[in-house]
Amino acid sequence: MGPSAKGEPVIVQDETKVDVGIHLQQGSLTLTQNGKDFDAYHASVEFVAVHDGPWTADKVKFSAMGPDGKSVGVTVDLLNDTYDGPRAAVPVAIWKVVALAATSAGDVGITYTTPDPHPM
């Protein structure tokens, strides 16, 4: 007998955190940390909503292949220390990863726009 299931899955809209994972084409994104290059192959973007505020991307956790051929994790924090805007100097390529994940996040009710790097 094959698998079976009952019920109708419902997405909880009052969640305060959602992770969206995406696979990256090998060689399409190289992360550099402490002078070493890492070939990213998967990204998990963490979206958060605080106090009924809009959804925003908080961090990206990358799975990558290191120069020694071993898998490593690289985390990039996206929000500044006061959580009121983007962290300075986040590379454009990482924001593109966030935008790709946000496309998938739309399927679960997350509306997201890239933050203004120069808030008033």
Side-chain angles (χ1 to χ4, degrees), residues 16-37:
T16 58
K17 183 174 103 175
V18 173
D19 290 319
V20 178
I22 57 172
H23 295 291
L24 302 171
Q25 184 175 350
Q26 186 175 1
S28 65
L29 179 63
T30 301
L31 305 169
T32 303
Q33 188 174 37
N34 298 326
K36 294 182 182 177
D37 289 342

Side-chain angles (χ1 to χ4, degrees), residues 8-116:
E8 184 68 29
V10 176
I11 296 169
V12 178
Q13 296 299 325
D14 59 357
E15 283 291 323
T16 58
K17 183 174 103 175
V18 173
D19 290 319
V20 178
I22 57 172
H23 295 291
L24 302 171
Q25 184 175 350
Q26 186 175 1
S28 65
L29 179 63
T30 301
L31 305 169
T32 303
Q33 188 174 37
N34 298 326
K36 294 182 182 177
D37 289 342
F38 299 93
D39 184 16
Y41 58 86
H42 187 266
S44 178
V45 180
E46 184 177 292
F47 293 91
V48 296
V50 181
H51 306 296
D52 296 325
W55 288 97
T56 189
D58 180 34
K59 63 182 71 173
V60 183
K61 296 176 183 176
F62 290 98
S63 296
M65 192 69 61
D68 58 1
K70 294 182 180 177
S71 288
V72 298
V74 177
T75 300
V76 177
D77 290 323
L78 300 171
L79 297 177
N80 61 26
D81 293 336
T82 57
Y83 292 94
D84 62 357
R87 185 172 295 280
V90 173
V92 171
I94 292 176
W95 286 114
K96 287 181 181 180
V97 168
V98 171
L100 289 170
T103 300
S104 296
D107 295 340
V108 295
I110 293 175
T111 303
Y112 173 81
T113 58
T114 303
D116 181 358

